[in-house]
Amino acid sequence: MELTDKQLCIAYEGLVQGAVCLDEHLLQGVWVYVESAMLARNIARETYLRIEHLQSPQCYVRMSSLMPIDFFGTNDNPKNDSPCRDANFKPIVLKVCELIPHEDAYPEQRWHIQRVFTACEVASAIEALLVLLADTQQFPSCSVCEQRYPRSFLDSDRICEDCCYELLGGE
């Protein structure tokens, strides 16, 4: 699926806000892929994506790989591409967090697998990540701070926990 410029900007904003945590196998490749897409489309931005943005401990989307991914064609050993030959081996996993509320306790975080990909499908995995982040139905904005969260992170008035705390007089 080809992202529109608007969808790419929404996804980019989510990345800059720390919505995602990528493991070391995907980090640099995703960063280069996303920045290249922004440059190729001549999309101006106030903030540039940094590696730190893609390693947020407060993320609600995770993407990881069981193996290193050769994004830049530096793998000179053809035997190392064997996972690509096995369509059943899908090392790249895309997950989304859901908050499960509990009475008198902190909400429980549950991670749900959205999709899995083979190592050869890394571009499709990144596209799926961006499409997911651009989905305003699945990730609406807080009506106060306008940060985007999964629906389960917002209350019935579409207010995030941080803004609820501030509105109720927290410091």
Side-chain angles (χ1 to χ4, degrees):
M1 175 184 181
E2 180 72 23
L3 287 168
T4 65
D5 286 358
K6 182 178 180 180
Q7 288 174 312
L8 183 57
C9 288
I10 291 170
Y12 190 87
E13 181 181 314
L15 292 168
V16 169
Q17 290 176 355
V20 175
C21 185
L22 303 172
D23 72 4
E24 67 278 356
H25 297 276
L26 299 169
L27 189 60
Q28 189 175 19
V30 171
W31 178 63
V32 169
Y33 184 97
V34 172
E35 279 297 331
S36 296
M38 296 295 282
L39 286 170
R41 295 183 186 198
N42 281 331
I43 298 175
R45 50 213 181 275
E46 293 176 20
T47 305
Y48 286 91
L49 189 60
R50 296 189 323 256
I51 293 286
E52 303 84 52
H53 292 139
L54 302 175
Q55 295 180 308
S56 175
Q58 286 85 29
C59 68
Y60 49 82
V61 176
R62 290 185 183 273
M63 194 160 75
S64 59
S65 177
L66 297 173
M67 58 180 282
I69 304 296
D70 185 21
F71 285 97
F72 309 109
T74 58
N75 184 0
D76 295 331
N77 185 351
K79 291 181 180 180
N80 286 344
D81 72 349
S82 60
C84 290
R85 294 184 193 140
D86 184 356
N88 295 320
F89 180 58
K90 298 189 175 187
I92 302 171
V93 179
L94 179 61
K95 296 179 183 179
V96 175
C97 185
E98 175 186 16
L99 289 183
I100 309 297
H102 293 288
E103 296 236 355
D104 301 326
Y106 288 107
E108 173 187 350
Q109 288 188 342
R110 286 198 189 143
W111 289 91
H112 300 281
I113 295 175
Q114 290 288 310
R115 290 190 56 193
V116 292
F117 302 89
T118 66
C120 292
E121 297 173 315
V122 68
S124 296
I126 297 170
E127 287 288 324
L129 170 68
L130 296 175
V131 167
L132 180 67
L133 289 173
D135 184 346
T136 56
Q137 293 297 316
Q138 187 159 347
F139 300 107
S141 299
C142 170
S143 58
V144 176
C145 68
E146 298 183 6
Q147 290 265 69
R148 296 182 58 239
Y149 296 97
R151 285 188 309 269
S152 65
F153 280 50
L154 303 174
D155 69 8
S156 59
D157 295 321
R158 276 194 31 233
I159 300 175
C160 70
E161 186 176 304
D162 291 339
C163 290
C164 282
Y165 183 72
E166 286 182 27
L167 291 171
L168 294 173
E171 295 180 17

